[in-house]
């Protein structure tokens, strides 16, 4: 199997855990308390600001002009789409985005930055992949079960499950497989570990949105228990 199929299979329990989170279930049926959604969006504003800059840092690490252009266009399209969706929902719910980064947000951003700072574009891409790939898969999953009529979170669901975003994610997955095929076993192992850690941060990000501060998020450091 390809590297992306292998790593998706290895992280299957994390993804299934995400689907079972009350945040995801209540977002799908529109019953999620606005205060929980507000907390999530405020943290996502902080996270996406850093992640967007990191995507362009990763693009700068690429030596193939075609790959670099593809990734830059995908990054800009994703940032523009998320920004528009966030602005709409922030206005609708009156969300205060002047907040302190949570332990989940700051640790996740530090993880992807460390992967970039490693100097390996392969490891950097692996660490950044869950944010786009798992979001897309969650968006597609929610669309398959969601009650969209009258759902106050409809724009969020439609953003991450749309065809353009899915096509962009698929292009990046193909790039990850191409890079993984060309590197040695040690680098592939580092890619896998970077991806799995980031996948667990994805779980924690939605979990934090629902439960909030003062809760135990120590499981972020217990990756082996999830595999």
């Amino acid at each position: 199997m390809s590297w992306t199929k292998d790593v998706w299979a290895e992280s299957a329990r994390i993804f299934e855990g995400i689907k079972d989170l009350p945040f995801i279930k209540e977002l799908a049926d529109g019953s999620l308390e606005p205060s929980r959604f507000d907390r999530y969006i405020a943290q996502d504003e902080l996270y996406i600001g850093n992640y967007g800059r990191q995507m362009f840092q990763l693009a700068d690490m690429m030596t193939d002009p075609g790959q670099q252009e593809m990734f830059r266009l995908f990054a800009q399209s994703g940032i523009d789409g998320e920004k528009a969706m966030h602005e709409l929902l922030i206005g609708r719910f009156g969300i205060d985005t002047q907040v302190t980064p949570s332990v989940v947000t700051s640790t996740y951003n530090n993880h992807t930055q460390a992967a970039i700072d490693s100097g390996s574009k392969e490891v950097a891409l692996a660490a950044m992949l869950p944010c786009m790939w798992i979001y897309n898969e969650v968006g597609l999953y929610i669309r398959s079960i969601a009650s969209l009529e009258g759902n106050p979170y409809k724009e969020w669901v439609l953003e991450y499950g749309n065809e353009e975003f899915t096509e962009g994610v698929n292009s990046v997955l193909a790039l990850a497989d191409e890079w993984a095929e060309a590197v040695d076993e040690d680098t592939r192992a580092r890619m896998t570990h970077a991806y799995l850690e980031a996948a667990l941060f994805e779980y924690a990000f939605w979990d934090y949105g629902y439960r909030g501060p003062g809760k135990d998020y120590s499981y972020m450091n217990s990756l082996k228990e999830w595999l």
Side-chain angles (χ1 to χ4, degrees), residues 37-51 82 85-86 90 97 99 102 105 108-109 131 135 156 160 202 205-206 208:
F37 188 73
D38 292 0
R39 180 164 52 230
Y40 159 79
I41 287 292
Q43 290 298 318
D44 202 34
E45 275 282 287
L46 295 173
Y47 174 80
I48 290 298
N50 284 314
Y51 184 80
E82 285 184 312
M85 180 266 291
H86 272 210
I90 288 169
T97 58
V99 297
S102 72
T105 302
Y108 195 0
N109 277 141
C131 180
Y135 257 65
W156 188 99
Y160 294 111
E202 285 294 315
F205 203 92
W206 279 301
Y208 181 87

Side-chain angles (χ1 to χ4, degrees), residues 48-49 51-60 62 67-85 87 128 132 159-160 162 164-165 168-169 172:
I48 290 298
Y51 184 80
R53 288 188 288 273
Q54 290 171 349
M55 288 185 82
F56 287 105
Q57 284 183 279
L58 175 54
D60 288 341
M62 299 179 185
Q67 293 176 353
Q68 187 178 65
E69 179 67 10
M70 179 276 290
F71 195 79
R72 283 183 178 277
L73 289 173
F74 172 68
Q76 192 60 57
S77 174
I79 291 168
D80 290 345
E82 285 184 312
K83 182 178 179 181
M85 180 266 291
E87 287 179 352
M128 299 185 73
M132 59 186 84
E159 174 66 24
Y160 294 111
N162 71 51
E164 182 181 359
F165 186 62
V169 170
V172 177

Side-chain angles (χ1 to χ4, degrees), residues 95-108:
I95 300 172
D96 179 8
T97 58
Q98 301 302 309
V99 297
T100 301
S102 72
V103 63
V104 178
T105 302
S106 58
T107 308
Y108 195 0

Side-chain angles (χ1 to χ4, degrees), residues 23-208:
F23 187 99
I24 298 299
K25 293 179 178 179
E26 294 174 17
L27 186 72
D29 66 21
S31 67
L32 184 67
E33 289 183 11
S35 62
R36 286 172 164 150
F37 188 73
D38 292 0
R39 180 164 52 230
Y40 159 79
I41 287 292
Q43 290 298 318
D44 202 34
E45 275 282 287
L46 295 173
Y47 174 80
I48 290 298
N50 284 314
Y51 184 80
R53 288 188 288 273
Q54 290 171 349
M55 288 185 82
F56 287 105
Q57 284 183 279
L58 175 54
D60 288 341
M61 298 169 72
M62 299 179 185
T63 55
D64 182 286
Q67 293 176 353
Q68 187 178 65
E69 179 67 10
M70 179 276 290
F71 195 79
R72 283 183 178 277
L73 289 173
F74 172 68
Q76 192 60 57
S77 174
I79 291 168
D80 290 345
E82 285 184 312
K83 182 178 179 181
M85 180 266 291
H86 272 210
E87 287 179 352
L88 187 152
L89 293 173
I90 288 169
R92 175 181 298 166
F93 292 99
I95 300 172
D96 179 8
T97 58
Q98 301 302 309
V99 297
T100 301
S102 72
V103 63
V104 178
T105 302
S106 58
T107 308
Y108 195 0
N109 277 141
N110 289 343
H111 171 66
T112 47
Q113 189 61 53
I116 292 169
D117 293 343
S118 75
S120 168
K121 67 180 189 294
E122 296 85 6
V123 174
L125 179 58
M128 299 185 73
L129 198 55
C131 180
M132 59 186 84
W133 191 9
I134 291 179
Y135 257 65
N136 183 222
E137 291 295 333
V138 169
L140 292 170
Y141 168 70
I142 292 179
R143 285 192 77 166
S144 73
I145 66 169
S147 302
L148 290 180
E149 186 173 353
N151 189 324
Y153 311 114
K154 176 180 178 179
E155 288 81 7
W156 188 99
V157 177
L158 295 178
E159 174 66 24
Y160 294 111
N162 71 51
E163 185 175 350
E164 182 181 359
F165 186 62
T166 301
E167 289 177 356
V169 170
N170 287 337
S171 296
V172 177
L173 292 176
L175 179 61
D177 280 332
E178 180 180 338
W179 286 0
E181 185 68 24
V183 296
D184 57 31
E185 290 186 13
D186 179 67
T187 303
R188 280 195 296 275
R190 289 167 59 209
M191 289 175 68
T192 297
H193 187 77
Y195 176 92
L196 294 174
E197 280 197 49
L200 189 51
F201 287 136
E202 285 294 315
Y203 176 99
F205 203 92
W206 279 301
D207 190 31
Y208 181 87

